[in-house]
Amino acid sequence: APKVAAIGLAVRVAVEAMGLATDQWRQIVIFAALASIIFGAVAAIGQTNVKRLLAYSSINNVGFVLIGLAAGTQEGVAAVLFYLTVYVVMTLGSFIVVLQMKDSEGQPVETIA
């Protein structure tokens, strides 16, 4: 929820408050998007814990949301809102599945192995 609220606030400030200065903030958003995508993907490579893997995936997904913001148009905002809606549903589903995974002894499974 905090991440979705922060993205919503960022979209509103960027498009409504600084809409006329899109060219000035677009490069910063593109850099943040690429950094988030790369960091999330590289950090997830060595993970063996499923919950941490999902956490790095969420870092990666923020980068994809920022790509829509970097467009600086109403279509970009619509794409951000659609992506956030799908992201929230899929993340909730993923964490519910991970929390329901149990081994043969009834212990929670947290490792990929």
Side-chain angles (χ1 to χ4, degrees):
K3 189 179 300 179
V4 173
I7 294 292
L9 179 65
V11 167
R12 187 157 185 177
V13 168
V15 174
E16 290 183 15
M18 297 187 296
L20 298 176
T22 302
D23 291 334
Q24 283 75 26
W25 57 259
R26 179 178 286 145
Q27 294 299 318
I28 297 168
V29 172
I30 290 171
F31 175 77
L34 289 174
S36 180
I37 292 168
I38 292 169
F39 176 74
V42 171
I45 289 174
Q47 286 303 311
T48 58
N49 186 300
V50 178
K51 290 178 187 176
R52 285 190 191 130
L53 183 65
L54 287 173
Y56 284 119
S57 170
S58 80
I59 293 170
N60 190 291
N61 280 299
V62 168
F64 292 116
V65 170
L66 290 176
I67 290 174
L69 176 59
T73 63
Q74 292 303 318
E75 291 84 5
V77 172
V80 167
L81 294 176
F82 177 75
Y83 193 94
L84 282 176
T85 303
V86 173
Y87 169 75
V88 167
V89 172
M90 295 303 297
T91 301
L92 285 173
S94 299
F95 274 102
I96 289 171
V97 168
V98 167
L99 291 174
Q100 295 297 319
M101 293 189 328
K102 308 271 189 229
D103 63 10
S104 60
E105 299 169 358
Q107 299 296 320
V109 175
E110 292 190 1
T111 62
I112 294 174

